[in-house]
Amino acid sequence: VTMADVEAESSTQPEAMEEENPLFSNLDLFLFTLIAGLIIYWFMSRKKAEPIPEFKKLDQPAPSTRETSFIEKMKKTGRNIVVFYGSQTGTGEEFANRLSKDAQRYGMKGMAADPEEYDMSELSRLAEIDNSLAIFCMATYGEGDPTDNAQDFYDWLQETDAELDGVNYTVFALGNKTYEHYNAMGAYVDKRLEELGAKRVFDLGMGDDDGNLEEDFVTWREQFWPAMCEHFGVEASGEDSSVRQYELKEHNDINMNKVYTGELGRLKSFETQKPPFDAKNPFLAPVTVNRKLNKAGDRHLMHLEVDITGSKIRYESGDHVAVYPTNDTAIVNKLGQILGVDLDSVISLNNLDEESNKKHPFPCPTTYRTALTHYLDIIHPPRTNVLYELAQYATDPKDQENMRKMASSAPEGKALYQSFVLEDNRNILAILEDLPSLRPPIDHLCELMPRLQARYYSIASSSKVHPNSIHICAVLVEYTTKTGRLTKGVATTWLKNKLVADNGHKSTVPMYIRKSQFRLPFKASNPVIMVGPGTGIAPFMGFIQERGWLKEQGKEVGETVLYCGCRHKNEDYLYQEELEEAEKTGVITKLNVAFSRDQEQKVYVQHLLRTNKEDLWRQIHTDNAHIYICGDARNMARDVQTAFYEIAEELGGMTRTQATDYIKKLMTKGRYSQDVWS
């Protein structure tokens, strides 16, 4: 009850009764005031009794001491290069750290910086520092959007009229060619800084994760530094020196209550859960349903439901649920064995640079077991810098030479990295198994491994129908590599094993919500065309539930058309019962399912779109339909877009250029939305 509510009620209620019985009204007023006073007193005293918990992020100093001026920090610590990163999955941050470390080879001093932590309007002051340079490693997320941590910086760039004369900069963009807006964020930062008067000292680098992002970065970096040397008139100090960023501290008699066991921010946050829940403070949602969706076939498609009761978490249809998986225990144990260490030793890795905002590479103190299980990505093939830094520990000169070669930009080295690491899909364990002379100290290995990232899934439910439950639809990733090793997807293997009750305990999933632009039209009367083969159907299950709910509320709901697909009708037709029921009750106006392998000629969703072209064109061109695509970016999203171009050409009498512009306009208006992955 707010004070305003109390005042409003006490001023209106007694007045209404005054005409009948003034005495009763005064008594009523007295009692009401007394009760309201008691409620307020109880509320205020309760507030005092419960101090607000301190959310101290371990990776950062307390907010009061935090320096928001990167310029002052650079001056204080004698740095002249700042590397800002926009990173969603950690790669941009990794590249930024590598570049800031490189600076030492050229007698310069660099620092990696999260734009979210600093006042970016200070950029204009960079010219105050001699021989200064700002490098931007900017990833693009979703439909050409900035990453979460670069959103404020992006907004500032759009609004500012700051004069950046005398500011030297360069940009390396991280993206994926299969997406519509390839490297949009990096390209925007590059162009906008120039418009504001900054000086581009090296060309924009374009990293393509659909090809070989690591190779793109290494190639750009190898050309960038010599250009910088020329620009600043400095020389490299010859040998690439492997400099440790963190030092190991072993804790022998520590209180185990002070040791991190997998939490991401506040110590013990998994034991005493406190909202609001976000990336640093995920909610442990109990698993209430975990069932296999497909009836047959060699794949495992699953449907999970997690309970968010009491968490204050809100979501909308189309949002993503982010989950934090853990690594396979068997792989963690093997790493411990091969490196001959006690995984339960309690350690801290402390940053040697005391001025750094990042005190530890992951929450410390913790054990090697926790770090390798919860905090480090030990499954992805390691990047070239990891191989380069670990090479010094190989006792066989040939192994040492090959590892260093793989980190160079020489064609032979690139080819070796491509075949030995990427094509053979060797993770760090496989590399240690196949190079018996390589036995690095585990603390250095932990320093170099990237952080294990949250995985995002399109939510397969509507909060209107399931306010306390979030549904996930996923396919188990499992394949055998060229070296004969069985590789399992980290998150999907972990999800598959999240049984509803495990030894009498409820299985839980650490999660939070990531808002999305993938939204049903504001006007329910607009038709919707949903295209989602395979697990791309996930967000549409939420959309369908919501359209059904709107119908029940008596709202006028437009046509709801679904195009989905699977391999075989009697094997992996996902949500068959629910979809057929929704069609029967008229929630789905038309259900179109492509069973790609049930006949000799493969049939996909784009073929069904062409079959229904007249209907589609009417819905889009006349009835203001909204189009939604979800699923594979590499082939499906492209083929579907081409099908829409062809329909616009044929039925709208357009040229291919006009048809392309027409669809692009729908995108700009928010009537053609994609939630795709590669």
Side-chain angles (χ1 to χ4, degrees):
V1 182
T2 64
M3 287 298 291
D5 290 338
V6 171
E7 282 170 24
E9 282 187 55
S10 59
S11 63
T12 55
Q13 264 182 314
E15 222 174 281
M17 292 181 168
E18 211 170 334
E19 294 163 32
E20 295 168 36
N21 192 336
L23 177 70
F24 184 71
S25 168
N26 289 339
L27 181 67
D28 200 30
L29 180 63
F30 170 73
L31 287 171
F32 188 84
T33 310
L34 185 68
I35 291 163
L38 284 168
I39 288 170
I40 291 164
Y41 173 77
W42 175 80
F43 193 75
M44 298 309 268
S45 62
R46 180 172 152 273
K47 268 278 181 267
K48 265 185 219 119
E50 188 182 73
I52 295 164
E54 262 191 81
F55 286 97
K56 252 193 199 167
K57 288 186 184 172
L58 200 88
D59 287 351
Q60 296 168 358
S64 56
T65 62
R66 210 182 87 199
E67 178 74 84
T68 60
S69 167
F70 64 89
I71 298 292
E72 294 310 318
K73 190 163 195 174
M74 287 172 79
K75 285 179 174 177
K76 200 163 70 184
T77 57
R79 294 164 206 260
N80 61 333
I81 292 181
V82 58
V83 194
F84 292 105
Y85 56 84
S87 184
Q88 197 71 26
T89 62
T91 313
E93 183 179 356
E94 234 179 284
F95 286 0
N97 281 325
R98 283 160 72 173
L99 289 166
S100 75
K101 226 172 161 184
D102 282 346
Q104 294 180 358
R105 282 165 45 201
Y106 305 95
M108 303 189 210
K109 221 174 159 195
M111 69 178 246
D114 182 343
E116 200 170 31
E117 289 183 10
Y118 293 103
D119 176 1
M120 293 305 286
S121 65
E122 296 246 300
L123 205 53
S124 55
R125 292 182 57 204
L126 194 61
E128 294 171 17
I129 297 169
D130 288 342
N131 285 346
S132 59
L133 168 69
I135 306 174
F136 295 86
C137 289
M138 306 308 288
T140 299
Y141 187 81
E143 296 299 287
D145 305 317
T147 56
D148 292 352
N149 78 312
Q151 184 66 54
D152 292 347
F153 173 48
Y154 175 72
D155 294 343
W156 175 76
L157 278 177
Q158 287 193 303
E159 292 155 15
T160 189
D161 51 7
E163 290 181 16
L164 301 184
D165 303 345
V167 173
N168 296 317
Y169 80 93
T170 187
V171 180
F172 182 80
L174 296 86
N176 188 312
K177 263 211 176 83
T178 58
Y179 290 80
E180 182 74 28
H181 306 277
Y182 174 53
N183 273 330
M185 182 59 183
Y188 174 74
V189 171
D190 183 61
K191 176 173 120 319
R192 185 71 183 126
L193 290 173
E194 185 180 46
E195 286 169 0
L196 293 168
K199 183 184 179 189
R200 182 189 297 107
V201 293
F202 192 68
D203 292 341
L204 168 69
M206 297 284 262
D208 176 20
D209 203 25
D210 184 46
N212 183 341
L213 184 60
E214 177 68 17
E215 188 178 306
D216 295 337
F217 176 67
V218 168
T219 305
W220 180 84
R221 176 176 161 247
E222 294 278 330
Q223 294 166 343
F224 163 71
W225 283 115
M228 281 314 91
C229 287
E230 206 172 308
H231 183 83
F232 291 121
V234 294
E235 274 182 37
S237 62
E239 203 34 51
D240 269 2
S241 54
S242 169
V243 185
R244 286 293 298 262
Q245 203 177 338
Y246 299 93
E247 68 178 345
L248 172 68
K249 182 176 191 315
E250 292 173 331
H251 306 277
N252 296 319
D253 51 356
I254 192 166
N255 175 351
M256 290 311 277
N257 281 328
K258 300 228 164 81
V259 177
Y260 279 82
T261 57
E263 311 93 318
L264 292 131
R266 182 174 53 88
L267 190 67
K268 300 286 173 208
S269 62
F270 284 172
E271 285 174 33
T272 51
Q273 292 250 281
K274 291 174 184 144
F277 296 105
D278 56 26
K280 279 271 161 47
N281 180 38
F283 176 64
L284 294 181
V287 177
T288 53
V289 173
N290 185 350
R291 63 185 168 93
K292 189 177 178 184
L293 281 173
N294 50 320
K295 301 176 185 75
D298 52 5
R299 295 188 304 160
H300 182 98
L301 293 130
M302 56 191 133
H303 171 88
L304 280 94
E305 297 180 15
V306 298
D307 186 3
I308 54 167
T309 306
S311 67
K312 298 199 170 107
I313 288 172
R314 301 274 174 272
Y315 75 94
E316 298 284 329
S317 307
D319 282 343
H320 295 135
V321 57
V323 302
Y324 283 104
T326 56
N327 287 312
D328 185 342
T329 317
I331 295 176
V332 172
N333 288 339
K334 269 191 200 160
L335 276 171
Q337 256 168 355
I338 215 164
L339 295 174
V341 290
D342 174 6
L343 290 175
D344 296 309
S345 312
V346 180
I347 57 116
S348 286
L349 286 178
N350 300 325
N351 203 324
L352 289 159
D353 171 7
E354 286 174 8
E355 294 297 329
S356 174
N357 272 11
K358 201 169 181 179
K359 300 297 177 208
H360 315 282
F362 42 77
C364 289
T366 190
T367 64
Y368 287 124
R369 187 183 303 284
T370 300
L372 294 169
T373 306
H374 292 271
Y375 299 138
L376 298 171
D377 182 350
I378 56 175
I379 295 303
H380 268 106
R383 298 196 182 278
T384 57
N385 65 308
V386 176
L387 301 177
Y388 184 86
E389 299 232 4
L390 292 181
Q392 58 183 307
Y393 302 113
T395 51
D396 180 338
K398 191 84 191 110
D399 288 347
Q400 212 173 96
E401 188 197 336
N402 281 335
M403 288 175 77
R404 290 218 169 98
K405 198 187 281 176
M406 283 192 270
S408 76
S409 60
E412 190 192 344
K414 282 182 182 174
L416 185 59
Y417 178 73
Q418 180 69 33
S419 63
F420 184 76
V421 179
L422 298 182
E423 284 169 18
D424 290 353
N425 203 24
R426 279 182 173 87
N427 60 27
I428 194 65
L429 176 62
I431 285 171
L432 292 171
E433 285 174 338
D434 293 347
L435 302 178
S437 95
L438 177 65
R439 292 296 176 262
I442 191 166
D443 60 295
H444 200 175
L445 185 78
C446 288
E447 172 179 323
L448 294 168
M449 290 281 97
R451 282 291 293 267
L452 184 58
Q453 300 293 331
R455 305 303 204 262
Y456 299 98
Y457 293 95
S458 305
I459 297 177
S461 52
S462 161
S463 57
K464 300 283 192 291
V465 182
H466 300 283
N468 292 318
S469 171
I470 285 173
H471 300 184
I472 298 170
C473 171
V475 58
L476 179 69
V477 176
E478 211 171 68
Y479 55 93
T480 303
T481 67
K482 285 183 178 174
T483 62
R485 291 178 169 95
L486 179 67
T487 296
K488 298 175 178 184
V490 176
T492 53
T493 305
W494 170 78
L495 282 173
K496 178 181 180 253
N497 295 323
K498 285 279 167 192
L499 307 172
V500 174
D502 212 352
N503 303 328
H505 294 287
K506 278 204 164 130
S507 284
T508 56
V509 168
M511 53 71 67
Y512 67 96
I513 297 297
R514 188 179 193 282
K515 293 283 167 209
S516 157
Q517 300 303 310
F518 205 66
R519 288 277 182 268
L520 277 169
F522 182 68
K523 280 170 71 179
S525 55
N526 283 103
V528 299
I529 297 157
M530 305 172 285
V531 185
T535 55
I537 194 165
F540 302 137
M541 295 309 294
F543 281 13
I544 291 159
Q545 287 171 15
E546 190 142 328
R547 300 279 274 189
W549 180 85
L550 288 164
K551 252 187 148 73
E552 280 171 20
Q553 303 300 302
K555 294 268 192 313
E556 185 201 332
V557 177
E559 290 174 80
T560 303
V561 182
L562 176 67
Y563 290 84
C564 59
C566 57
R567 294 175 183 182
H568 301 282
K569 183 172 185 174
N570 52 12
E571 270 187 21
D572 54 1
Y573 184 173
L574 304 186
Y575 299 111
Q576 180 177 359
E577 292 77 14
E578 291 94 322
L579 294 175
E580 287 175 352
E581 178 62 24
E583 189 180 34
K584 215 190 307 177
T585 57
V587 174
I588 294 178
T589 323
K590 189 150 192 254
L591 175 61
N592 308 276
V593 192
F595 303 107
S596 61
R597 302 182 186 184
D598 274 351
Q599 59 287 307
E600 216 169 302
Q601 284 302 103
K602 286 202 174 150
V603 174
Y604 295 119
V605 281
Q606 60 269 26
H607 299 134
L608 300 187
L609 290 171
R610 291 188 183 96
T611 309
N612 296 326
K613 57 190 178 191
E614 281 85 5
D615 260 355
L616 277 169
W617 185 244
R618 169 187 55 78
Q619 287 153 350
I620 298 164
H621 198 61
T622 313
D623 301 343
N624 242 345
H626 286 233
I627 301 162
Y628 301 91
I629 319 292
C630 182
D632 160 58
R634 188 176 283 110
N635 301 309
M636 182 277 297
R638 239 177 225 176
D639 294 342
V640 163
Q641 207 162 312
T642 305
F644 280 116
Y645 292 158
E646 288 168 1
I647 292 167
E649 280 178 85
E650 191 184 331
L651 297 167
M654 300 179 189
T655 64
R656 175 53 67 103
T657 310
Q658 289 169 325
T660 310
D661 287 347
Y662 182 85
I663 298 297
K664 290 270 192 298
K665 267 208 183 72
L666 291 183
M667 288 176 178
T668 316
K669 287 180 182 164
R671 279 184 51 206
Y672 190 112
S673 309
Q674 300 190 85
D675 179 1
V676 293
W677 55 82
S678 75

